[in-house]
Amino acid sequence: MGIINFKLINAFYQDNKEIMRLKPIIIFGVIMFCAFQLNAQVNYQSEYLSGKNYFKQANYQRAQNHFVNLLDLNENNPFYLYASYFYAISAYETGNKERAMEVLGRIRTTHPEWDKIDEANIWYGKMLLQEGDLLKGLNVLNSIENRDLDTVAQKIKRYTLVNYDSIPQLQKALELNPYDKILAEHLAMKINQQPIVDRQVELMEFLIDSFNLNRASFDFVDKSVSEKKDQYRIAVLLPFLTDNLTTTKGNKGNQFVLDIYQGIEIAANELNANGKKIELLAYDTKRDSLTTSEIIESGELLQMDMIIGPLYPIPAGMIRAYSYEHKINMVNPLSTNSETIATNPYSFLTKATPETRAKMAARFAINNMESKNATILYGSKSQDSIFAYTYKRELEKDSFNITWMAASRSAVSSTEILRSLTEVFDPDTTYTDGKVYVSNTVKVRVSEEDSLIMSRDTIGHIMLASSDNLLVSNVLSAIDTRRDSIPLIGYDEWMEFNQISFDQLQRMGVIMIGQNYFDFTSAEVVDFKDSYKESYNKLPSQYSYDGYETMRFFGAKLIQYGNYFQYGLYEEGFQEGYLYFGFDYTNANDNQVVPIMKMEDLKLKMLNYEQEEEENPSVFKE
């Protein structure tokens, strides 16, 4: 046994008098801590029952104050899971969603086999969806096995999915949850709410058929209700301004309106050649809402099988709403604005919208341009910007790089674009490294002193979405100056500019996006001119052609398919026109035929359609 050193102990004691004085306090504290712990064990049940009582009273803040004491997972706490569950709901109800999700997430991790885990998943999935985590939220809710609770989960999905509008996001979610009918129905409804020009009609059809959705809930015309008649009544709503008509010779202020109607009239006469199939009824909208309202209130339009017009935005909007409400097909012979059809499945355009033209132009560029770079310039009109941004979006889907995108809304900005395209560098100019970097560039001699040094690959091709005379002339001049043969895509309207010759368009290889195309030398056009001149003692204008082609095409479809002719149109694919090159309404309410052309031998050559046998005269070429 060792010898005890009393001196050392005494010294230690003398040096630590303060510590020794605290000894009774420490001992008392330890005793009180143990008593508290013992008391806490005894009160687990009391805390839980108190929290539960406040929870039932919807006093969630007080409920939290009790449940929070039970969140420690230990063998002496039998209320951990239930207290955690009710604590999380209380936190949610008081606005602390982050804390609620944290506690529920912990339950799911530590006790995935808990017999109440489905209840926890209901709340957790709901919170995830409300916080924007679509994929994880659906995954949690779709994991619920209890049949009664699954019904609750479906209701939660139905009312939380209304906050999700992104169709690509919903498509991705459906790929991961391929049997989720509520998700499929929501996706179909979102597609249905899109403007008709943007609708993924085939996907919507697939969802309706695959999930047995109620077709009546969507903007589809049931072909079984289309009625074939011996005679069809067609209202022509145009701003004739009959009160201002005069008998004097010369062009009237509304001459273009008369030209449209005269074209319509000739087409109707041709359709009635073997018996009266079409009855035309003309209404003067006078360009104003009051007159249009009076026409609507008369009730006469309810007897119509089709409406042509109106032309101006306010009357057109009123008739579009009326057409949708009463399910009467309407056609606009001039408009290219997608708002004219909007979400109305009963509204059609004879021409293509800017969105459709841009998509077809982009498809052509993707298949024919060597460089994956592109420059997009556009004018001040709203339809120019719609075209430009649709074109940009479609190219970027195919990994194109838009190196420069600019708008010209004034003469100054047009000139700035010209300067940017033709910026000249002095060959003696040096950068910080002592040289001009000219790798992968085109060097063009502009004058004895200056050379143009710009990278053709950087620009790629130029899409110029504008009919502004100055901007088009400036861009053509810039490309001509560069002499590096940058591909230029533009509008066929440029052929009408006095400052631009066919020879220039051909020499520069300009690619033109058409609205439609017809051959003035064809027998059909010659016959129409003769018939028109015989009837009205003048030659037809472009508006006369538009009126004729609208009536001739849609009138024939009315006779062929009945008053709801769209179910036939959607399935026909490409159809030859009478004067125009053709029509295509495959799952669309605007004409999908967009000729892409260039000049060869000073004549227009179609680049995206090729002629085949007579049975199938024209086929779109990728």
Side-chain angles (χ1 to χ4, degrees):
M1 184 174 178
I3 299 173
I4 299 175
N5 191 337
F6 287 99
K7 290 183 179 180
L8 183 59
I9 292 175
N10 185 57
F12 178 83
Y13 179 78
Q14 291 299 325
D15 291 339
N16 294 278
K17 286 181 180 180
E18 294 300 319
I19 295 175
M20 296 306 289
R21 288 195 193 100
L22 293 174
K23 187 174 182 180
I25 299 174
I26 294 172
I27 292 171
F28 178 78
V30 170
I31 292 170
M32 291 301 294
F33 177 77
C34 293
F36 176 81
Q37 286 293 90
L38 195 60
N39 187 54
Q41 285 183 328
V42 173
N43 288 321
Y44 277 136
Q45 183 175 10
S46 176
E47 290 288 340
Y48 177 74
L49 292 176
S50 296
K52 204 51 194 307
N53 184 50
Y54 285 122
F55 185 88
K56 288 178 180 178
Q57 296 172 24
N59 191 337
Y60 298 111
Q61 187 57 60
R62 286 198 171 187
Q64 280 185 87
N65 294 339
H66 288 277
F67 289 133
V68 74
N69 298 320
L70 308 174
L71 298 186
D72 290 330
L73 177 58
N74 63 70
E75 60 183 11
N76 297 316
N77 180 9
F79 301 102
Y80 166 74
L81 287 170
Y82 283 94
S84 297
Y85 172 73
F86 287 118
Y87 174 84
I89 297 173
S90 299
Y92 171 83
E93 295 292 353
T94 56
N96 193 350
K97 291 184 181 179
E98 184 177 349
R99 177 64 171 152
M101 293 175 67
E102 177 188 340
V103 174
L104 287 175
R106 188 192 309 155
I107 294 174
R108 298 178 73 251
T109 300
T110 59
H111 292 77
E113 302 301 323
W114 183 38
D115 62 350
K116 301 298 182 184
I117 197 65
D118 278 347
E119 282 91 336
N121 281 334
I122 285 283
W123 282 94
Y124 192 60
K126 174 184 176 180
M127 293 178 200
L128 286 167
L129 288 180
Q130 289 179 336
E131 292 300 299
D133 197 334
L134 176 63
L135 299 182
K136 192 172 180 180
L138 289 174
N139 182 57
V140 171
L141 291 177
N142 287 337
S143 70
I144 292 170
E145 297 180 355
N146 182 292
R147 182 171 297 180
D148 293 334
L149 291 176
D150 181 61
T151 302
V152 176
Q154 302 310 310
K155 291 180 180 178
I156 289 172
K157 283 193 290 185
R158 193 176 295 281
Y159 75 72
T160 52
L161 280 174
V162 297
N163 299 315
Y164 291 88
D165 298 323
S166 170
I167 289 176
Q169 184 186 25
L170 293 169
Q171 282 184 262
K172 178 65 176 177
L174 190 61
E175 290 174 9
L176 298 174
N177 300 272
Y179 304 106
D180 193 328
K181 182 174 180 177
I182 290 176
L183 176 61
E185 183 176 23
H186 180 69
L187 173 56
M189 290 300 296
K190 285 300 173 185
I191 295 173
N192 189 62
Q193 292 168 9
Q194 293 288 103
I196 286 179
V197 293
D198 293 326
R199 283 185 190 172
Q200 296 167 274
V201 179
E202 293 180 358
L203 175 57
M204 188 162 65
E205 287 272 17
F206 168 79
L207 294 172
I208 292 171
D209 294 338
S210 300
F211 291 89
N212 195 28
L213 304 180
N214 181 12
R215 183 171 285 269
S217 302
F218 304 91
D219 288 334
F220 283 107
V221 179
D222 187 350
K223 65 181 180 181
S224 65
V225 304
S226 187
E227 182 182 359
K228 285 194 173 185
K229 303 178 180 180
D230 294 332
Q231 187 170 309
Y232 298 91
R233 293 163 63 88
I234 298 178
V236 182
L237 274 63
L238 297 175
F240 292 103
L241 301 175
T242 52
D243 295 343
N244 300 325
L245 289 179
T246 66
T247 57
T248 58
K249 292 185 179 181
N251 281 342
K252 304 171 178 61
N254 64 335
Q255 183 63 50
F256 81 100
V257 176
L258 299 178
D259 291 348
I260 293 171
Y261 186 76
Q262 288 164 353
I264 290 172
E265 208 168 35
I266 288 181
N269 291 337
E270 291 180 5
L271 291 170
N272 290 332
N274 297 318
K276 191 169 184 179
K277 299 285 186 180
I278 300 295
E279 180 184 2
L280 290 180
L281 295 98
Y283 293 85
D284 187 359
T285 61
K286 298 182 180 179
R287 301 181 189 171
D288 67 67
S289 57
L290 180 61
T291 303
T292 305
S293 181
E294 290 173 353
I295 295 171
I296 290 173
E297 290 172 1
S298 73
E300 293 181 24
L301 295 182
L302 289 173
Q303 310 303 316
M304 302 300 158
D305 298 295
M306 188 172 79
I307 298 169
I308 297 178
L311 302 182
Y312 290 93
I314 293 177
M318 296 172 67
I319 296 300
R320 183 171 67 247
Y322 185 85
S323 155
Y324 184 80
E325 180 183 359
H326 297 284
K327 298 179 172 58
I328 302 171
N329 281 333
M330 62 181 290
V331 183
N332 192 302
L334 299 186
S335 178
T336 61
N337 191 337
S338 55
E339 285 298 314
T340 307
I341 50 180
T343 58
N344 183 1
Y346 303 96
S347 181
F348 293 84
L349 301 180
T350 303
K351 301 183 179 184
T353 62
E355 292 93 331
T356 295
R357 295 177 77 188
K359 289 174 184 176
M360 296 301 179
R363 187 189 303 183
F364 178 84
I366 289 167
N367 291 324
N368 293 276
M369 296 299 167
E370 295 180 6
S371 171
K372 282 284 190 176
N373 289 330
T375 291
I376 301 175
L377 309 173
Y378 59 99
S380 58
K381 296 179 181 177
S382 62
Q383 296 209 14
D384 293 340
S385 61
I386 291 171
F387 186 108
Y389 279 94
T390 303
Y391 187 78
K392 175 179 183 289
R393 185 177 66 245
E394 294 298 313
L395 286 190
E396 288 178 336
K397 287 180 183 177
D398 197 74
S399 70
F400 266 70
N401 177 39
I402 310 303
T403 56
W404 183 29
M405 187 168 187
S408 172
R409 296 187 172 90
S410 65
V412 173
S413 57
S414 175
T415 303
E416 177 63 22
I417 286 174
L418 172 62
R419 187 199 64 76
S420 298
L421 284 171
T422 58
E423 189 168 5
V424 173
F425 295 87
D426 188 321
D428 295 329
T429 300
T430 59
Y431 295 141
T432 55
D433 60 356
K435 62 181 179 180
V436 177
Y437 182 70
V438 295
S439 176
N440 195 31
T441 62
V442 175
K443 185 173 181 179
V444 180
R445 192 75 169 171
V446 177
S447 68
E448 290 185 2
E449 294 81 18
D450 295 321
S451 294
L452 182 67
I453 302 175
M454 294 186 73
S455 170
R456 176 182 176 185
D457 288 342
T458 299
I459 291 179
H461 73 273
I462 297 175
M463 160 55 71
L464 176 54
S466 177
S467 296
D468 178 75
N469 207 320
L470 177 60
L471 176 59
V472 174
S473 297
N474 279 346
V475 172
L476 286 171
S477 175
I479 294 175
D480 222 5
T481 299
R482 291 172 57 91
R483 301 175 188 174
D484 56 358
S485 305
I486 292 176
L488 174 64
I489 304 177
Y491 294 164
D492 65 342
E493 292 98 302
W494 298 358
M495 293 187 294
E496 300 172 10
F497 293 175
N498 293 330
Q499 297 90 337
I500 301 173
S501 68
F502 284 8
D503 178 71
Q504 183 183 15
L505 293 172
Q506 177 170 303
R507 175 172 51 80
M508 297 180 65
V510 176
I511 297 164
M512 291 169 283
I513 310 301
Q515 184 52 256
N516 214 311
Y517 167 79
F518 59 94
D519 182 0
F520 281 98
T521 64
S522 70
E524 292 78 10
V525 172
V526 171
D527 289 344
F528 174 72
K529 285 181 179 178
D530 291 342
S531 178
Y532 193 93
K533 187 174 182 179
E534 183 179 343
S535 299
Y536 304 110
N537 197 32
K538 62 176 183 177
L539 289 174
S541 69
Q542 178 62 49
Y543 297 108
S544 308
Y545 292 113
D546 290 333
Y548 173 86
E549 199 71 354
T550 297
M551 182 72 252
R552 193 71 173 81
F553 181 79
F554 285 99
K557 298 308 172 187
L558 197 61
I559 295 169
Q560 182 179 359
Y561 295 116
N563 58 342
Y564 295 119
F565 50 74
Q566 46 264 73
Y567 80 89
L569 271 186
Y570 292 152
E571 298 173 358
E572 278 185 340
F574 178 88
Q575 298 290 303
E576 278 191 283
Y578 295 88
L579 304 179
Y580 289 170
F581 176 70
F583 296 90
D584 187 351
Y585 291 89
T586 302
N587 294 325
N589 283 41
D590 66 319
N591 190 1
Q592 301 295 291
V593 171
V594 178
I596 299 176
M597 304 163 287
K598 67 187 303 185
M599 300 295 298
E600 285 190 6
D601 298 326
L602 298 182
K603 295 181 180 178
L604 283 176
K605 177 185 177 182
M606 202 89 67
L607 301 178
N608 62 329
Y609 284 87
E610 58 186 8
Q611 300 296 320
E612 293 190 351
E613 299 176 3
E614 290 188 2
E615 292 82 9
N616 188 18
S618 301
V619 176
F620 181 76
K621 182 169 62 177
E622 292 287 348

